[in-house]
Amino acid sequence: MMKFLYDDESFSFEALRAAGYAAYGGADLGEVLVTCRQIPEGDEEAWSAQWAATAARIERIGRDALAAGHRVSAREALLRASNYYRTADFYRREDPAADAESARLARASQQTFADAAELLDTPARALRIPYEDTTLPGYLFLADDSGTPRPTVLAHGGYDSTLEEDYFALAAGALRRGYNVIAFDGPGQGSTVRDQGLHFRPDWEAVVTPAVDFALTVPEVDAEQLVLIGMSLGGYLAARAAAFEHRLAACVLYDGVYDFHAVIAATASRAASMPGGMEALMAQNTMVRWVVRNGRWTFGVSDIDELVKATEAYTMAGIADHITFPTLVLEAENDQFFTGQPQRLFGELTCQKELISFREDEGAGEHCHEGAMFLFHQRTFDWLDTLLAG
């Protein structure tokens, strides 16, 4: 673990995640430091309260700047506020459906981002992507306003990431390099679970195929150069979709996930071998507590046993060789969730493929390379640039 401000592994990682988005204007380091200074180790209530207070303070700066006609200042503050509100909500997973503060923070993260998105040099377009009998929320980010069809990234997150976070994690770096980006929340992600009651599903092609259908109706999308990128658990979801959706030019698994069920099952068996079982493990381990609570909510189950069962189908076993187009698998040396899984998935791919490992000694060894956005984007987009130019 690359310790950042906390000994608690989860707190350290989430603080690093929030701070790392400073690369694309999602944080300012001083704001992160003074916020975390007031949050004791492992104190989830203080975490939520302090991040919420910082978010509100920065949002006010943005609102005042907007009212005074200072467009850039407003955009900068609202982008940071969005990331801070997301961070404030992160651990509020005991019963999010009944937690009014969790709902408020999530909405505030969405709204501040929506208001900032309109202030981008090329304003982002809010989307509703048709999906079954409803729609999925998304954004179309354009590299410029020329209307030129460009290589386009279709991006989604994972177990807890949000559509708004996708901008800092991926879209901002893609835009600088001349890619357009369609980012969206699938079932179980962001507002879909809270507002629409949609939960995760293993057959993610059922989510990506409608998103591809939609992308192909957008004039600024080059239909021959559509790239799917999935973040975190999205590294499984995107791989699964890529096995069945063949209209893509490439896929990036950020990072590679072979079998999500194995992670949940290992957590359950670890708890079973302890006195006091899962309750005791959750009481003493912030990360386990969060993983189980978030899983109950996003999968629509009531306990760890149901979560173990619900994740059984989340594996690439027997289908990895269905992927036919070039695929980039990323790996983090110190990944606390999916150690060894990128290698295993890479080994079963039969398409053109590359594995890029990010090391601890270059500051990029954490899950999803949090804190190393520039290095992650440099390697990923240089690979994509080269591939698409060929």
Side-chain angles (χ1 to χ4, degrees):
M1 170 184 137
M2 184 163 67
K3 181 184 168 182
F4 183 67
L5 305 180
Y6 293 100
D7 292 320
D8 183 291
E9 185 178 15
S10 184
F11 269 38
S12 170
F13 178 78
E14 293 308 322
L16 178 66
R17 176 178 177 180
Y21 295 141
Y24 295 104
D28 215 357
L29 204 47
E31 291 164 3
V32 172
L33 293 172
V34 297
T35 303
C36 289
R37 193 168 68 190
Q38 299 171 82
I39 304 171
E41 288 278 354
D43 186 337
E44 292 178 7
E45 281 184 33
W47 178 281
S48 184
Q50 295 298 337
W51 279 108
T54 297
R57 179 168 60 80
I58 304 307
E59 180 183 3
R60 174 50 49 207
I61 292 171
R63 299 291 174 207
D64 290 347
L66 194 55
H70 303 302
R71 184 168 165 269
V72 173
S73 297
R75 176 180 71 204
E76 289 178 348
L78 292 169
L79 284 173
R80 300 202 306 284
S82 176
N83 182 34
Y84 298 159
Y85 279 124
R86 178 196 62 77
T87 306
D89 181 47
F90 183 81
Y91 291 109
R92 304 190 71 94
R93 289 296 172 266
E94 192 165 6
D95 184 12
D99 183 344
E101 176 66 357
S102 177
R104 182 189 78 83
L105 293 168
R107 274 197 295 271
S109 180
Q110 291 156 16
Q111 190 60 56
T112 46
F113 186 85
D115 294 341
E118 292 179 9
L119 303 171
L120 293 173
D121 290 338
T122 305
R125 293 183 210 159
L127 308 173
R128 298 300 310 191
I129 297 170
Y131 166 75
E132 296 195 339
D133 55 359
T134 180
T135 58
L136 301 173
Y139 279 103
L140 172 63
F141 300 101
L142 298 173
D144 61 31
D145 56 8
S146 67
T148 310
R150 294 183 181 279
T152 300
V153 171
L154 205 53
H156 62 69
Y159 194 56
D160 67 289
S161 28
T162 65
L163 165 60
E164 294 75 26
E165 184 186 13
D166 292 345
Y167 173 78
F168 305 112
L170 200 71
L175 290 165
R176 288 185 179 185
R177 293 166 172 86
Y179 292 83
N180 294 331
V181 180
I182 294 175
F184 68 95
D185 278 333
Q189 299 175 327
S191 65
T192 68
V193 61
R194 191 186 298 275
D195 300 338
Q196 296 170 266
L198 299 176
H199 298 110
F200 278 116
R201 58 187 297 170
D203 55 339
W204 202 250
E205 67 276 11
V207 180
V208 167
T209 288
V212 171
D213 290 342
F214 180 88
L216 296 177
T217 69
V218 177
E220 293 91 349
V221 171
D222 179 342
E224 301 301 309
Q225 299 201 306
L226 196 56
V227 178
L228 178 63
I229 305 184
M231 171 185 181
S232 191
L233 176 60
Y236 158 75
L237 300 171
R240 165 73 199 214
F244 299 99
E245 171 51 73
H246 299 298
R247 292 173 293 175
L248 302 164
C251 182
V252 179
L253 308 176
Y254 153 47
D255 292 349
V257 179
Y258 182 76
D259 184 349
F260 180 54
H261 172 68
V263 176
I264 300 298
T267 303
S269 65
R270 179 179 162 197
S273 68
M274 277 180 62
M278 182 54 80
E279 271 184 41
L281 183 57
M282 285 174 68
Q284 71 182 41
N285 188 302
T286 308
M287 188 171 294
V288 169
R289 184 165 62 242
W290 175 82
V291 165
V292 172
R293 286 175 172 176
N294 192 67
R296 287 193 313 224
W297 190 46
T298 57
F299 280 77
V301 298
S302 58
D303 58 34
I304 183 66
D305 295 333
E306 286 184 23
L307 185 59
V308 169
K309 188 156 182 53
T311 54
E312 276 174 8
Y314 289 72
T315 174
M316 288 303 292
I319 55 173
D321 63 354
H322 293 17
I323 300 176
T324 55
F325 40 75
T327 298
L328 175 64
V329 180
L330 307 182
E331 173 182 49
E333 183 179 12
N334 273 0
D335 197 308
Q336 69 266 49
F337 299 107
F338 299 117
T339 309
Q341 295 221 11
Q343 290 272 8
R344 187 163 180 203
L345 178 57
F346 183 76
E348 295 205 11
L349 292 174
T350 53
C351 54
Q352 180 186 332
K353 60 184 179 176
E354 186 159 343
L355 177 74
I356 299 179
S357 294
F358 290 82
R359 301 193 317 272
E360 168 73 4
D361 66 11
E362 56 191 10
E366 296 296 296
H367 177 66
C368 286
H369 325 295
E370 300 296 359
M373 290 291 106
F374 289 136
L375 191 64
F376 153 50
H377 289 170
Q378 175 256 314
R379 290 179 178 164
T380 299
F381 290 110
D382 289 4
W383 179 86
L384 264 181
D385 288 349
T386 306
L387 177 79
L388 297 178

